[in-house]
Amino acid sequence: MATAHSELGGILHLVGVAPAINTLLRSALEPEVTVEAMGSQDRLYHHFQEGHQPADTVLLGMDIEDPVRIAQRIHTYDHHVPILILTAPSRCDQLKRTLMFSPFLGNEVVPWSTAEVDELPSAIRDAVNRRRQRMRYLNTISRAQIRLEKLPLLQPEATYYLDQLLDHAPIGVLTVDLNCAILTINRQAQTILSVSERSALGRPLEEQFPLREQGRLAALLQHGLKGMERHKPEIFEVDAPAGAVRFLEVTPAPLAYRTGQRGAMLILQDVTDRVAAECERQRAEDDLRYHATVLRSFHEISSDRELSLEEKLHRLLKLGCEQFGLPNAILSRIDGQCFQILDSVSDHPAYVVGTSKDLDQTYCSATVFTNEPVAFEHAGITEWRHHPSYLEHRMEAYIGVRIVVDGGLYGTLCFSSPAPRYSSFSSADLEVLKLMSQWVGNELQRERAEAHMRKLSGALEQAADSVMITDRDRRIEYVNPAFERLTGYAKADVIGHKTYFLRSGMHDEVFYQDLWQVVGNGGVYRGVLVNRKKDGSIFHEQKTISPLKDMQGRITHFISTGHDISDRVKAEALDRQHKAELAHVGRLSVLGEMTSGLAHELNQPLCAITTYAQTCLRIIQSGNCKPDDVRYGLEQVVKQAELGGAIFRRLRNFARKGDLRQQRIDLREVILEVASFVRADVQQNQVQLHLDIRRQLPAVMADPIQIEQVLLNLVRNSMDALSDTDEGRRQITIKAVRHERHSVKVCISDSGCGCPQEVADRLFEPFFTTKATGLGIGLGISQSIIDAHGGRLWLEEGAVQGATFCFVLPGSGESRHEKHPTIR
Ligand code: ADP
């Protein structure tokens, strides 16, 4: 191609082109094409304005802004100069579209991707050659026109020369006389009009055009024949083979010969591609306008706050009827095979709202499988004529699409008409319908979500438990009426505030840190919080705090529910107090029972003191007083007095009143203490007390006095049970062993009368006793003490002789059943 036209030469002007491309073009094109860099577009404009030799092609580089505007300006100087615009590959398509919608027509302005820069020299060469060729033909034609005027009409050489020239022109050229009969027709014009020279010459030009265009052509010719200046071109539609049409641009120019004869010259160009591009552009513009109109209507409907959802949907159906030009519209709900009409716009009796039918009896049965609309314009002439719906209702035109809500099929939106639709549904129609169904789907989904939310928020509002929702920073976003009632704070007081104002000061900072660590890590906190009401009073709240997470599993909020358990806490405290009092009474009663033994125990040091004191007196009175003898006597007095004092201290401790005071204790010590307590009693009653205490028992958390009380109760009961046993066989054993890993098990066995089943069944009942002077509270108190320590007390079953009572106490390292918050 390049070599074929290399003799033509030409000028390429570069504006804003990178030096590398400049160099590339020079080496590829010169000397054939002179490459001139213009620096800036202003220099190029100046070049044109000054009337210098015009460029044959202009290349606009990447360094300039708004190349389309610059190209437009260049075309105001020279409408035919080809312009190539260099662009990044990613922007190339966009630029093509911009050019398509710009006033440029044809191929004069072309975007060129930098990815194809290797092809650029060849493209420029072609553009330059085309331009040069075009210029040459135009010059030739205008020169021929001048010569024709100068030469005598029909001078044979001139005619021959002109014919030869025109025959090779790439544009159609023909001349007509005043009657519009064809005088000359070049080869290109013959091709364009699909006519031979022989059949065309002398015939009216109109004959070559279809009837529908002949009037317009005649008018143009008349104008061309009469006017003295060139007329602007007009486009005509001519028939092409196989029912196609082509578009011809006809530019008339008057011809006036020296002879005074007048005629016209016509330049014909096949602009079918250009017109097709223009039509496509027009269609795209119409589609855009159509979309914009429908969107505006959508917007008007959806944003109308006065309308309910039902009213909005009804308006949408009407809008669809108008848009598609179909009289019937249906919004359906599909449940399995049941097709139910939720709303409709129609006079047809079958389309009344509420009507249900089998889905297979409707055209919509075909639309439910895909998100794409189903549409046909004339069912009667297609396979649709066999569809049950056609046979029943004879709807010729139909367009429908499914509606999806929450990811599942909800129903359909469809429009139909008993009359065929003579223009086919456009892709814009299908897009609009899809848009409508998405809109309906979204609206229904939102309505569903709102209804769900209404239900939820109603439940929260009605809930008896207090509910509080905070954001991640623990700022309150919502509280329910139960919260207001419980705390005394109104919603308006607390929204936006952090929750600190509820703190009572009863929990330490570590407590709150532990709590928020649990929920902050996605866990659920359950526990009792001591909080403060607006009036300053304290209340106990059984709380559950859970994190709320978004779809990605990130914590966005915390929700806490709670109820006031202050009454329960008070009742429990009262219960504890009653139990402590009862235990106290129990201890006093045990002491009462032990009076004679204790008296005996105390009597011994008192007697010893009396004896030692009397001996000392006697030594002093004898006159032979040795100080060492007296000192020994007095030392014994002190020792016995201390023994007595220890007995009193133990009694006082045991009899003291008080709440549970747990501490880490060694059960061995407690058992030894109890053994010395009962020593006198045991001796008096001639009972043998055995201790079997294993080494290295785990320490337990317990109140030593209360455990002493339990042991004393059990030992005293054993002694009572031994009263009828022969003196030599009265035995009590206290055994303590490690139980499981960290607990301690203590068993008190006796060789007494044992417990018959009817007694064993009622042992722990309050006031149950088989003794004449018994109170029947000892075992009950003992059991509640062991329970309060997290342990268990029971009568061992199947004892061969006597009775064995056991209890287990958890080791100090074991966790308790329920973890209570630390209360300061
Ligand atoms: P109390 O000793 O005042 O009767 P307890 O609650 O201590 O009250 O004992 C309730 C009953 O359990 C006793 O009356 C007795 O019948 C029975 N019991 C308790 N310990 C023994 C035991 N080691 N052997 C036989 N029976 C016992």
Side-chain angles (χ1 to χ4, degrees), residues 444-482:
L444 291 170
Q445 194 161 328
R446 204 174 63 197
E447 172 72 8
R448 243 186 218 185
E450 278 174 3
H452 186 62
M453 285 307 293
R454 275 198 298 277
K455 225 185 287 167
L456 279 185
S457 65
L460 285 185
E461 291 283 300
Q462 301 303 320
D465 276 14
S466 79
V467 178
M468 171 166 72
I469 298 175
T470 67
D471 64 13
R472 273 190 67 87
D473 296 332
R474 309 212 289 274
R475 279 185 200 286
I476 298 173
E477 289 190 358
Y478 170 82
V479 291
N480 71 345

Short mmCIF file of all heavy atoms in Angstrom, two decimals, residues 444-482:
data_model
loop_
_atom_site.label_atom_id
_atom_site.label_comp_id
_atom_site.label_asym_id
_atom_site.label_seq_id
_atom_site.Cartn_x
_atom_site.Cartn_y
_atom_site.Cartn_z
N LEU A 444 -40.21 -5.20 48.19
CA LEU A 444 -40.87 -6.26 48.97
C LEU A 444 -39.93 -6.76 50.06
O LEU A 444 -40.36 -7.02 51.19
CB LEU A 444 -41.28 -7.41 48.05
CG LEU A 444 -42.42 -7.08 47.09
CD1 LEU A 444 -42.59 -8.19 46.06
CD2 LEU A 444 -43.73 -6.88 47.85
N GLN A 445 -38.65 -6.86 49.70
CA GLN A 445 -37.67 -7.33 50.68
C GLN A 445 -37.57 -6.34 51.84
O GLN A 445 -37.52 -6.73 53.00
CB GLN A 445 -36.31 -7.46 50.00
CG GLN A 445 -35.32 -8.25 50.81
CD GLN A 445 -34.19 -8.76 49.93
OE1 GLN A 445 -34.39 -9.06 48.76
NE2 GLN A 445 -33.02 -8.85 50.49
N ARG A 446 -37.58 -5.05 51.47
CA ARG A 446 -37.48 -4.03 52.51
C ARG A 446 -38.72 -4.08 53.41
O ARG A 446 -38.63 -3.99 54.63
CB ARG A 446 -37.33 -2.66 51.89
CG ARG A 446 -36.67 -1.69 52.85
CD ARG A 446 -36.38 -0.38 52.23
NE ARG A 446 -37.60 0.29 51.83
CZ ARG A 446 -37.65 1.29 50.98
NH1 ARG A 446 -36.55 1.73 50.44
NH2 ARG A 446 -38.78 1.86 50.65
N GLU A 447 -39.87 -4.25 52.78
CA GLU A 447 -41.11 -4.31 53.54
C GLU A 447 -41.06 -5.49 54.52
O GLU A 447 -41.42 -5.38 55.68
CB GLU A 447 -42.29 -4.47 52.56
CG GLU A 447 -43.64 -4.74 53.20
CD GLU A 447 -44.21 -3.53 53.91
OE1 GLU A 447 -43.61 -2.44 53.77
OE2 GLU A 447 -45.22 -3.68 54.63
N ARG A 448 -40.56 -6.64 54.00
CA ARG A 448 -40.44 -7.83 54.84
C ARG A 448 -39.51 -7.55 56.01
O ARG A 448 -39.82 -7.86 57.16
CB ARG A 448 -39.83 -8.96 54.01
CG ARG A 448 -40.74 -10.11 53.86
CD ARG A 448 -39.99 -11.23 53.17
NE ARG A 448 -40.88 -11.89 52.26
CZ ARG A 448 -40.54 -12.96 51.57
NH1 ARG A 448 -39.33 -13.43 51.66
NH2 ARG A 448 -41.41 -13.54 50.77
N ALA A 449 -38.36 -6.95 55.68
CA ALA A 449 -37.36 -6.67 56.72
C ALA A 449 -37.94 -5.70 57.74
O ALA A 449 -37.75 -5.87 58.95
CB ALA A 449 -36.10 -6.10 56.09
N GLU A 450 -38.69 -4.71 57.24
CA GLU A 450 -39.27 -3.72 58.16
C GLU A 450 -40.29 -4.38 59.07
O GLU A 450 -40.35 -4.10 60.26
CB GLU A 450 -39.90 -2.57 57.39
CG GLU A 450 -38.86 -1.55 56.96
CD GLU A 450 -39.44 -0.46 56.07
OE1 GLU A 450 -40.66 -0.46 55.84
OE2 GLU A 450 -38.64 0.37 55.59
N ALA A 451 -41.11 -5.29 58.46
CA ALA A 451 -42.13 -5.98 59.27
C ALA A 451 -41.44 -6.80 60.35
O ALA A 451 -41.87 -6.83 61.51
CB ALA A 451 -42.98 -6.87 58.38
N HIS A 452 -40.36 -7.46 59.93
CA HIS A 452 -39.59 -8.28 60.87
C HIS A 452 -39.04 -7.40 62.00
O HIS A 452 -39.14 -7.73 63.17
CB HIS A 452 -38.45 -8.95 60.11
CG HIS A 452 -37.69 -9.94 60.91
ND1 HIS A 452 -38.27 -11.07 61.44
CD2 HIS A 452 -36.40 -9.97 61.29
CE1 HIS A 452 -37.37 -11.75 62.11
NE2 HIS A 452 -36.21 -11.11 62.04
N MET A 453 -38.49 -6.25 61.59
CA MET A 453 -37.91 -5.33 62.56
C MET A 453 -38.99 -4.80 63.50
O MET A 453 -38.76 -4.66 64.70
CB MET A 453 -37.22 -4.15 61.87
CG MET A 453 -35.91 -4.46 61.23
SD MET A 453 -34.78 -5.26 62.36
CE MET A 453 -34.47 -3.94 63.50
N ARG A 454 -40.17 -4.51 62.89
CA ARG A 454 -41.28 -4.01 63.73
C ARG A 454 -41.62 -5.04 64.81
O ARG A 454 -41.83 -4.72 65.97
CB ARG A 454 -42.50 -3.71 62.86
CG ARG A 454 -42.48 -2.31 62.24
CD ARG A 454 -43.88 -1.91 61.78
NE ARG A 454 -44.41 -2.79 60.77
CZ ARG A 454 -44.14 -2.69 59.48
NH1 ARG A 454 -43.35 -1.74 59.04
NH2 ARG A 454 -44.66 -3.54 58.62
N LYS A 455 -41.64 -6.33 64.36
CA LYS A 455 -41.98 -7.41 65.28
C LYS A 455 -40.92 -7.47 66.40
O LYS A 455 -41.23 -7.52 67.57
CB LYS A 455 -42.00 -8.72 64.51
CG LYS A 455 -43.20 -9.59 64.84
CD LYS A 455 -43.10 -10.93 64.15
CE LYS A 455 -43.35 -10.86 62.67
NZ LYS A 455 -42.98 -12.06 61.95
N LEU A 456 -39.66 -7.43 65.96
CA LEU A 456 -38.57 -7.54 66.92
C LEU A 456 -38.58 -6.37 67.90
O LEU A 456 -38.48 -6.55 69.12
CB LEU A 456 -37.22 -7.54 66.20
CG LEU A 456 -36.77 -8.86 65.60
CD1 LEU A 456 -35.37 -8.70 65.06
CD2 LEU A 456 -36.77 -9.94 66.67
N SER A 457 -38.71 -5.16 67.32
CA SER A 457 -38.65 -4.00 68.22
C SER A 457 -39.87 -3.98 69.13
O SER A 457 -39.78 -3.57 70.28
CB SER A 457 -38.46 -2.70 67.46
OG SER A 457 -39.58 -2.47 66.68
N GLY A 458 -41.03 -4.48 68.59
CA GLY A 458 -42.22 -4.58 69.44
C GLY A 458 -41.94 -5.50 70.61
O GLY A 458 -42.29 -5.21 71.75
N ALA A 459 -41.28 -6.63 70.29
CA ALA A 459 -40.98 -7.61 71.34
C ALA A 459 -40.05 -6.99 72.38
O ALA A 459 -40.23 -7.16 73.59
CB ALA A 459 -40.34 -8.85 70.72
N LEU A 460 -39.05 -6.25 71.90
CA LEU A 460 -38.11 -5.60 72.82
C LEU A 460 -38.83 -4.60 73.70
O LEU A 460 -38.59 -4.50 74.90
CB LEU A 460 -37.00 -4.89 72.05
CG LEU A 460 -35.92 -5.75 71.43
CD1 LEU A 460 -34.85 -4.87 70.80
CD2 LEU A 460 -35.27 -6.65 72.46
N GLU A 461 -39.74 -3.85 73.04
CA GLU A 461 -40.45 -2.80 73.80
C GLU A 461 -41.34 -3.42 74.88
O GLU A 461 -41.51 -2.87 75.93
CB GLU A 461 -41.30 -1.95 72.85
CG GLU A 461 -40.50 -1.06 71.91
CD GLU A 461 -39.94 0.17 72.60
OE1 GLU A 461 -40.73 0.96 73.12
OE2 GLU A 461 -38.70 0.33 72.61
N GLN A 462 -41.91 -4.60 74.53
CA GLN A 462 -42.86 -5.23 75.47
C GLN A 462 -42.14 -6.10 76.51
O GLN A 462 -42.76 -6.52 77.47
CB GLN A 462 -43.85 -6.12 74.71
CG GLN A 462 -44.68 -5.40 73.65
CD GLN A 462 -45.46 -4.26 74.24
OE1 GLN A 462 -46.01 -4.38 75.33
NE2 GLN A 462 -45.50 -3.13 73.54
N ALA A 463 -40.85 -6.40 76.26
CA ALA A 463 -40.16 -7.37 77.11
C ALA A 463 -40.18 -6.94 78.58
O ALA A 463 -40.11 -5.76 78.90
CB ALA A 463 -38.72 -7.53 76.65
N ALA A 464 -40.33 -7.95 79.47
CA ALA A 464 -40.33 -7.66 80.90
C ALA A 464 -38.90 -7.38 81.36
O ALA A 464 -38.68 -6.62 82.30
CB ALA A 464 -40.91 -8.84 81.66
N ASP A 465 -37.92 -8.01 80.70
CA ASP A 465 -36.53 -7.79 81.07
C ASP A 465 -36.05 -6.45 80.51
O ASP A 465 -36.51 -6.02 79.45
CB ASP A 465 -35.65 -8.89 80.48
CG ASP A 465 -35.65 -10.12 81.38
OD1 ASP A 465 -36.52 -10.17 82.27
OD2 ASP A 465 -34.79 -10.99 81.19
N SER A 466 -35.12 -5.83 81.21
CA SER A 466 -34.57 -4.58 80.68
C SER A 466 -33.61 -4.93 79.56
O SER A 466 -32.89 -5.93 79.63
CB SER A 466 -33.84 -3.82 81.78
OG SER A 466 -32.58 -4.37 81.99
N VAL A 467 -33.65 -4.15 78.48
CA VAL A 467 -32.78 -4.40 77.33
C VAL A 467 -32.02 -3.11 77.02
O VAL A 467 -32.60 -2.02 77.02
CB VAL A 467 -33.60 -4.82 76.09
CG1 VAL A 467 -32.68 -5.03 74.88
CG2 VAL A 467 -34.37 -6.08 76.37
N MET A 468 -30.72 -3.27 76.79
CA MET A 468 -29.91 -2.10 76.44
C MET A 468 -28.99 -2.51 75.28
O MET A 468 -28.37 -3.58 75.32
CB MET A 468 -29.08 -1.69 77.65
CG MET A 468 -28.05 -0.63 77.37
SD MET A 468 -27.44 0.06 78.92
CE MET A 468 -26.46 -1.25 79.53
N ILE A 469 -28.94 -1.69 74.23
CA ILE A 469 -28.03 -1.98 73.11
C ILE A 469 -27.02 -0.84 73.05
O ILE A 469 -27.39 0.34 73.05
CB ILE A 469 -28.79 -2.10 71.78
CG1 ILE A 469 -29.78 -3.26 71.85
CG2 ILE A 469 -27.82 -2.31 70.61
CD1 ILE A 469 -30.68 -3.41 70.66
N THR A 470 -25.74 -1.22 73.04
CA THR A 470 -24.69 -0.20 72.94
C THR A 470 -23.86 -0.46 71.70
O THR A 470 -23.86 -1.57 71.17
CB THR A 470 -23.73 -0.24 74.15
OG1 THR A 470 -22.99 -1.45 74.09
CG2 THR A 470 -24.48 -0.16 75.46
N ASP A 471 -23.14 0.56 71.25
CA ASP A 471 -22.22 0.35 70.14
C ASP A 471 -20.92 -0.25 70.70
O ASP A 471 -20.82 -0.54 71.89
CB ASP A 471 -21.98 1.65 69.36
CG ASP A 471 -21.30 2.72 70.20
OD1 ASP A 471 -20.79 2.38 71.28
OD2 ASP A 471 -21.27 3.89 69.77
N ARG A 472 -19.95 -0.40 69.81
CA ARG A 472 -18.68 -1.04 70.22
C ARG A 472 -18.01 -0.29 71.37
O ARG A 472 -17.33 -0.86 72.19
CB ARG A 472 -17.71 -1.05 69.02
CG ARG A 472 -17.87 -2.23 68.13
CD ARG A 472 -16.71 -2.25 67.17
NE ARG A 472 -15.48 -2.50 67.90
CZ ARG A 472 -15.02 -3.70 68.19
NH1 ARG A 472 -15.66 -4.75 67.78
NH2 ARG A 472 -13.91 -3.86 68.86
N ASP A 473 -18.20 1.07 71.36
CA ASP A 473 -17.57 1.88 72.40
C ASP A 473 -18.42 1.93 73.67
O ASP A 473 -18.16 2.74 74.56
CB ASP A 473 -17.35 3.31 71.90
CG ASP A 473 -16.38 3.33 70.75
OD1 ASP A 473 -15.53 2.42 70.72
OD2 ASP A 473 -16.50 4.22 69.88
N ARG A 474 -19.47 1.12 73.68
CA ARG A 474 -20.37 1.00 74.81
C ARG A 474 -21.17 2.28 75.05
O ARG A 474 -21.55 2.62 76.16
CB ARG A 474 -19.60 0.57 76.07
CG ARG A 474 -18.74 -0.66 75.79
CD ARG A 474 -18.61 -1.53 76.97
NE ARG A 474 -17.79 -0.99 78.02
CZ ARG A 474 -16.47 -1.12 78.07
NH1 ARG A 474 -15.83 -1.74 77.09
NH2 ARG A 474 -15.79 -0.63 79.08
N ARG A 475 -21.43 3.00 73.94
CA ARG A 475 -22.35 4.13 74.02
C ARG A 475 -23.75 3.60 73.75
O ARG A 475 -23.95 2.85 72.78
CB ARG A 475 -22.02 5.19 72.97
CG ARG A 475 -20.91 6.07 73.41
CD ARG A 475 -20.64 7.20 72.46
NE ARG A 475 -19.31 7.70 72.68
CZ ARG A 475 -18.95 8.45 73.72
NH1 ARG A 475 -19.85 8.83 74.61
NH2 ARG A 475 -17.70 8.84 73.88
N ILE A 476 -24.69 4.03 74.59
CA ILE A 476 -26.03 3.45 74.50
C ILE A 476 -26.75 3.95 73.25
O ILE A 476 -26.77 5.14 72.96
CB ILE A 476 -26.84 3.81 75.76
CG1 ILE A 476 -26.15 3.23 76.98
CG2 ILE A 476 -28.27 3.33 75.65
CD1 ILE A 476 -26.74 3.64 78.30
N GLU A 477 -27.31 2.97 72.49
CA GLU A 477 -28.10 3.34 71.31
C GLU A 477 -29.58 3.08 71.53
O GLU A 477 -30.42 3.70 70.91
CB GLU A 477 -27.62 2.53 70.09
CG GLU A 477 -26.26 2.99 69.60
CD GLU A 477 -25.90 2.37 68.26
OE1 GLU A 477 -26.67 1.55 67.73
OE2 GLU A 477 -24.81 2.72 67.76
N TYR A 478 -29.88 2.12 72.40
CA TYR A 478 -31.28 1.80 72.62
C TYR A 478 -31.48 1.28 74.04
O TYR A 478 -30.66 0.52 74.55
CB TYR A 478 -31.72 0.73 71.61
CG TYR A 478 -33.09 0.15 71.91
CD1 TYR A 478 -34.24 0.82 71.52
CD2 TYR A 478 -33.22 -1.04 72.62
CE1 TYR A 478 -35.49 0.30 71.82
CE2 TYR A 478 -34.47 -1.57 72.93
CZ TYR A 478 -35.60 -0.89 72.52
OH TYR A 478 -36.84 -1.40 72.83
N VAL A 479 -32.57 1.69 74.68
CA VAL A 479 -33.01 1.04 75.92
C VAL A 479 -34.52 0.85 75.82
O VAL A 479 -35.20 1.65 75.17
CB VAL A 479 -32.68 1.87 77.19
CG1 VAL A 479 -31.20 1.94 77.45
CG2 VAL A 479 -33.29 3.27 77.11
N ASN A 480 -35.03 -0.19 76.42
CA ASN A 480 -36.48 -0.43 76.31
C ASN A 480 -37.20 0.13 77.56
O ASN A 480 -36.54 0.55 78.52
CB ASN A 480 -36.76 -1.92 76.08
CG ASN A 480 -36.48 -2.76 77.30
OD1 ASN A 480 -35.82 -2.30 78.22
ND2 ASN A 480 -36.96 -3.98 77.31
N PRO A 481 -38.54 0.14 77.52
CA PRO A 481 -39.27 0.70 78.67
C PRO A 481 -38.95 -0.02 79.98
O PRO A 481 -38.93 0.61 81.04
CB PRO A 481 -40.73 0.52 78.27
CG PRO A 481 -40.71 0.51 76.77
CD PRO A 481 -39.43 -0.17 76.39
N ALA A 482 -38.68 -1.34 79.90
CA ALA A 482 -38.37 -2.07 81.15
C ALA A 482 -37.09 -1.52 81.78
O ALA A 482 -36.97 -1.46 83.02
CB ALA A 482 -38.22 -3.57 80.86
#
